[in-house]
Amino acid sequence: MGKIIIFLGPPGAGKGTQAKFLEKDYGFIQISTGDILREAVKKGTELGKLAKKYMDEGKLVPDDVIVGIIEEKLEELKDKNIILDGFPRTIPQAEALDEMLKKKNKEVDAVILFDISDEEVIRRLSGRRIDPKTGNVYHIEFNPPPEGLEVIQREDDKEEVIRKRLEVYHNQTEPLIEYYKKQNKLLKVDTSKPVEEVYNQIKNMLKL
């Protein structure tokens, strides 16, 4: 099995951007829980059917089902380097993941914490604007839309929604920081720096 890296951090911290760099340069594969859940549902695997039942009822998919689906995916990608993004979100999920990997004589190699202030997240996300015709994304501060272009703000990008998402992140996911610190696996990257600089920090940390 290749390396297993976890990306931890709030929405808007730049995890997706950095994952793309690692995919392109080092052949990492980013696994986002939402994507593999949808894939399992589409393929109609046993676990996929089970997950669909919960999703159709508007319930959260239980940890053991998600871990099972991740296990199937890891089997499929045995020799690849993996980035887990959006999982684990809670301590029970982290424990279940450790248990599952232990059975394969494997463990999480590193956990990268994208360190960013709430205010910076709000600035990044609430400034996003979308051109509804092309789907192009702009930012009122960093990449303003051309004059006269009608753009919209997505519901997800409204400040009150972002604050709620941050609250969920702090409540659920922050305890993971302690959990992985105890395992000596936590590496912290300062994401207020320019994108290339963040990428260089990550490469150094992972000794790539």
Side-chain angles (χ1 to χ4, degrees):
M1 257 191 182
K3 279 186 193 302
I4 295 181
I5 310 292
I6 292 172
F7 275 7
L8 267 190
K15 301 189 296 290
T17 303
Q18 296 300 333
K20 282 196 179 67
F21 288 155
L22 288 173
E23 287 187 324
K24 188 169 137 292
D25 295 343
Y26 298 98
F28 273 82
I29 292 182
Q30 180 187 12
I31 293 184
S32 102
T33 328
D35 291 347
I36 64 167
L37 272 176
R38 282 189 289 275
E39 188 188 323
V41 168
K42 208 165 102 191
K43 281 185 180 162
T45 64
E46 284 310 309
L47 285 167
K49 286 180 194 149
L50 197 54
K52 185 178 187 309
K53 194 168 136 286
Y54 286 101
M55 285 150 89
D56 288 349
E57 290 167 11
K59 292 180 182 156
L60 279 177
V61 180
D63 292 350
D64 55 345
V65 177
I66 293 181
V67 172
I69 287 174
I70 286 179
E71 183 169 11
E72 286 180 343
K73 194 71 186 164
L74 292 179
E75 275 302 310
E76 192 188 309
L77 303 168
K78 291 215 230 315
D79 315 317
K80 304 280 188 211
N81 292 327
I82 303 290
I83 298 165
L84 288 176
D85 178 11
F87 183 90
R89 274 182 202 276
T90 58
I91 299 278
Q93 287 183 355
E95 290 170 344
L97 178 66
D98 282 350
E99 272 306 297
M100 181 262 282
L101 290 172
K102 206 153 98 191
K103 284 190 267 181
K104 302 178 183 306
N105 294 323
K106 185 80 191 109
E107 54 178 84
V108 170
D109 291 279
V111 179
I112 293 181
L113 174 63
F114 284 66
D115 201 25
I116 186 170
S117 70
D118 285 4
E119 292 321 306
E120 179 61 22
V121 167
I122 289 165
R123 188 171 141 234
R124 285 183 185 186
L125 295 182
S126 64
R128 281 204 294 214
R129 297 292 181 273
I130 310 256
D131 174 353
K133 289 200 182 77
T134 62
N136 287 344
V137 182
Y138 298 95
H139 193 285
I140 47 179
E141 199 179 326
F142 312 124
N143 173 27
E147 225 160 283
L149 183 71
E150 288 286 322
V151 289
I152 55 168
Q153 183 182 34
R154 283 192 337 203
E155 280 303 316
D156 286 16
D157 292 337
K158 296 199 164 136
E159 183 170 335
E160 58 277 21
V161 178
I162 299 165
R163 285 197 185 277
K164 280 211 181 72
R165 287 167 72 192
L166 282 168
E167 200 179 315
V168 170
Y169 167 74
H170 290 306
N171 290 339
Q172 282 197 339
T173 315
E174 285 212 321
L176 288 172
I177 296 172
E178 273 312 303
Y179 180 83
Y180 286 115
K181 219 186 246 170
K182 283 196 187 110
Q183 294 186 4
N184 288 328
K185 289 187 178 159
L186 195 76
L187 306 166
K188 203 189 246 183
V189 54
D190 175 2
T191 55
S192 64
K193 299 265 192 297
V195 170
E196 287 75 22
E197 214 172 301
V198 173
Y199 185 42
N200 285 328
Q201 283 182 54
I202 290 173
K203 283 195 296 193
N204 290 336
M205 286 171 171
L206 297 177
K207 302 182 172 62
L208 294 172

